[in-house]
Amino acid sequence: MSDQSFDIVVLGGGSAGYAVALRAVQLGKTVAIVEKDKLGGTCLHKGCIPTKAMLHSAEVADVVRESEEAGVDAELKGIDIERVTAFREGIVAKKFKGLQGLIKNKGIEVVAGEGRLTSPTTVQVGEQTLTGKSIVLATGSYPKSLPGLEITGNVITSEQALQLDWIPQRVAILGGGVIGVEFASVWRSFGVEVTIIEGLPHLVPNEEESVSKQFERAYKKRGIQFKLGARFSGVTQDETGVHVSLETGETIDADLLLVAVGRGPVTADLGYEEVGIELDRGFVTVDERLQTSVPGVYAVGDIVPGLQLAHRGYQQGIFAAEQIAGLDPRPVADVNIPKVTYSDPEVASVGYTEAKAKEQFGDDSIETYEYSLGGNAKSEIVGTSGSVKAVRVKDGPVVGVHMIGRRVGELIGEAQLIVNWEAYPEDVSQLIHAHPTQHEALGETMLKLAGTPLHAI
């Protein structure tokens, strides 16, 4: 295969990488993507999409269990994991085929193989050299473990959990962040006994504290056990499963241990440091324009310190393409990127928590209101409790929205517009929210903060 030259060479074809390519060709650039596995990366094949498909199967199971409450006689005969897998894989296959077609339609060159950065303008793939006027690093992330904790046998990560062809009876989960609580939600809906081990004081510890507390009550009600402030000591395996030891001396016995302690950057042995790319604990350091320490080389997605979210990768990919093309794109701070945890209940947030807002603006400058979904008719119909909490600067804009409850992930679109457009509650309170919808809970929260409550107390 002959050497080739492009305006931009993207190393990695995941969410961030292919976003660079798609936006760049819109701007008239020639682009090559180097991908060692499949276009779409972790999100499409091993993360966001397959896990949400499993969460949907779990939701269907729960709806059948609760059907009698709505006057429908239905019986849950069981969970057929082979058909759950087929459903999940079918969705991934359709999205993958669509992405391949889109990339091909746009004339983007895809080079299969493991790429290595060999200079500020070249990437080596096997014996082929790709030259780019600009290089974008987008090599993604991998499931981390703890020092000395080997992923083997019945000690697994999220990637192995997705490939299970059996449903365990008991599972221990190390980590109460997004990945841990989502798998806990799936397995509990499938009838599994679940115990979460979290070293911090709360589940979903990066969320608003009042939301975390509601989340813990909801999980306790579902029969999901959890140990907070618990330090992992070790694990052994035998023919009966795994035996997880805590520093307190307590042992948790289970069929599997899911290690969900976050994701690390894929940056080792790819030539980055040899070319002069500065790393911090494996992450690529960048300036506010996403340029690395080497001029003309940019980095996007999970290898850049901060939130590891596919939509952050999309935004950074678009930003990098526009920056390279000479435009002046507007950066979006991580704090203003929407986050959703797709468990039951869901958690959705954007902007500052109350505590962080007080740190940023001062204790006396912040005003908050938390509206209970108990006052929202649609939430009552779908059988959820929860709340919408907004954080505003007094006589100023809304700087944070934090929500918990079934389906609240679908409200995050309006919430992020409020926060990112620096809207005042008085602005939003004049808008009409359709009735009955869960969106009304956002409207009620804004009405209260504007001093004109309707159903809020």
Side-chain angles (χ1 to χ4, degrees):
M1 193 177 292
S2 61
D3 296 343
Q4 294 176 277
S5 296
F6 302 87
D7 292 323
I8 302 173
V9 175
V10 184
L11 187 51
S15 303
Y18 77 71
V20 175
L22 288 170
R23 182 65 180 123
V25 295
Q26 291 172 359
L27 296 169
K29 303 295 182 182
T30 57
V31 187
I33 297 174
V34 179
E35 174 54 53
K36 67 178 181 180
D37 193 358
K38 293 180 179 179
L39 281 174
T42 294
C43 177
L44 178 55
H45 300 284
K46 302 174 184 177
C48 323
I49 304 306
T51 54
K52 277 54 187 180
M54 287 189 73
L55 281 156
H56 180 69
S57 295
E59 180 185 11
V60 171
D62 288 334
V63 168
V64 174
R65 288 190 184 97
E66 299 167 3
S67 62
E68 188 175 333
E69 297 176 15
V72 178
D73 292 327
E75 179 185 357
L76 181 64
K77 295 181 178 179
I79 307 296
D80 185 334
I81 195 64
E82 288 186 9
R83 288 163 64 193
V84 170
T85 300
F87 168 70
R88 183 190 76 230
E89 290 180 346
I91 289 173
V92 171
K94 287 178 184 177
K95 299 301 109 182
F96 180 43
K97 184 177 180 180
L99 176 60
Q100 287 177 304
L102 177 62
I103 295 295
K104 182 178 180 181
N105 178 265
K106 298 297 183 181
I108 297 166
E109 182 84 14
V110 178
V111 180
E114 185 162 351
R116 181 179 179 84
L117 188 67
T118 49
S119 82
T121 57
T122 55
V123 171
Q124 192 75 25
V125 188
E127 297 182 359
Q128 184 181 13
T129 300
L130 303 177
T131 300
K133 296 175 184 176
S134 299
I135 304 289
V136 182
L137 310 177
T139 41
S141 61
Y142 67 94
K144 288 197 303 185
S145 186
L146 297 178
L149 177 55
E150 186 180 359
I151 304 301
T152 183
N154 287 338
V155 178
I156 63 174
T157 69
S158 57
E159 294 186 0
Q160 287 86 44
L162 282 170
Q163 300 304 317
L164 290 176
D165 58 3
W166 56 287
I167 299 175
Q169 291 184 324
R170 304 166 301 165
V171 171
I173 299 176
L174 184 56
V178 174
I179 296 172
V181 301
E182 286 188 349
F183 272 98
S185 192
V186 169
W187 275 322
R188 187 64 189 138
S189 296
F190 287 176
V192 180
E193 297 296 323
V194 179
T195 302
I196 303 171
I197 303 159
E198 171 55 54
L200 294 173
H202 291 292
L203 297 179
V204 287
N206 292 327
E207 298 293 343
E208 173 71 39
E209 187 174 13
S210 66
V211 167
S212 291
K213 289 178 178 178
Q214 291 178 75
F215 189 88
E216 288 157 14
R217 290 196 294 270
Y219 263 33
K220 190 173 292 185
K221 187 176 180 180
R222 290 187 63 190
I224 296 173
Q225 300 181 55
F226 46 88
K227 312 285 184 182
L228 301 177
R231 307 292 294 180
F232 171 82
S233 176
V235 61
T236 60
Q237 302 186 54
D238 58 28
E239 65 279 358
T240 65
V242 298
H243 310 284
V244 183
S245 302
L246 306 182
E247 288 186 356
T248 59
E250 183 179 1
T251 299
I252 299 168
D253 299 321
D255 300 328
L256 296 170
L257 172 62
L258 172 66
V259 180
V261 293
R263 297 183 64 86
V266 177
T267 54
D269 302 321
L270 294 174
Y272 292 0
E273 291 178 285
E274 291 87 336
V275 174
I277 304 294
E278 290 184 5
L279 303 180
D280 180 9
R281 292 170 297 169
F283 290 94
V284 178
T285 58
V286 295
D287 62 19
E288 64 174 10
R289 312 310 290 180
L290 298 178
Q291 186 167 233
T292 70
S293 55
V294 176
V297 180
Y298 297 78
V300 294
D302 285 0
I303 62 172
V304 176
L307 296 174
Q308 292 178 314
L309 299 168
H311 47 280
R312 175 184 183 252
Y314 292 148
Q315 189 272 337
Q316 289 190 339
I318 293 167
F319 184 99
E322 292 181 350
Q323 180 69 22
I324 290 167
L327 304 182
D328 186 25
R330 172 178 171 267
V332 177
D334 271 14
V335 69
N336 288 338
I337 294 174
K339 301 179 293 182
V340 182
T341 302
Y342 295 88
S343 47
D344 182 15
E346 290 185 350
V347 175
S349 65
V350 60
Y352 290 103
T353 63
E354 179 178 354
K356 291 294 185 183
K358 287 179 176 179
E359 287 179 17
Q360 180 73 17
F361 303 101
D363 285 6
D364 297 332
S365 300
I366 294 300
E367 183 181 3
T368 69
Y369 179 67
E370 191 161 5
Y371 180 82
S372 170
L373 294 185
N376 177 262
K378 185 66 173 181
S379 296
E380 186 74 23
I381 291 166
V382 302
T384 188
S385 58
S387 67
V388 173
K389 179 175 181 176
V391 181
R392 80 171 296 187
V393 176
K394 287 181 180 177
D395 300 320
V398 177
V399 295
V401 177
H402 308 275
M403 304 177 285
I404 180 171
R406 281 184 183 171
R407 306 186 186 181
V408 297
E410 301 304 322
L411 308 185
I412 199 64
E414 180 180 358
Q416 72 132 344
L417 292 179
I418 293 170
V419 171
N420 281 291
W421 284 349
E422 300 178 352
Y424 285 36
E426 292 79 4
D427 299 325
V428 185
S429 66
Q430 298 177 51
L431 304 176
I432 298 171
H433 292 78
H435 175 78
T437 65
Q438 288 184 296
H439 280 275
E440 288 180 284
L442 265 173
E444 294 282 357
T445 305
M446 296 300 129
L447 283 164
K448 174 66 174 180
L449 285 174
T452 57
L454 182 60
H455 296 101
I457 297 174

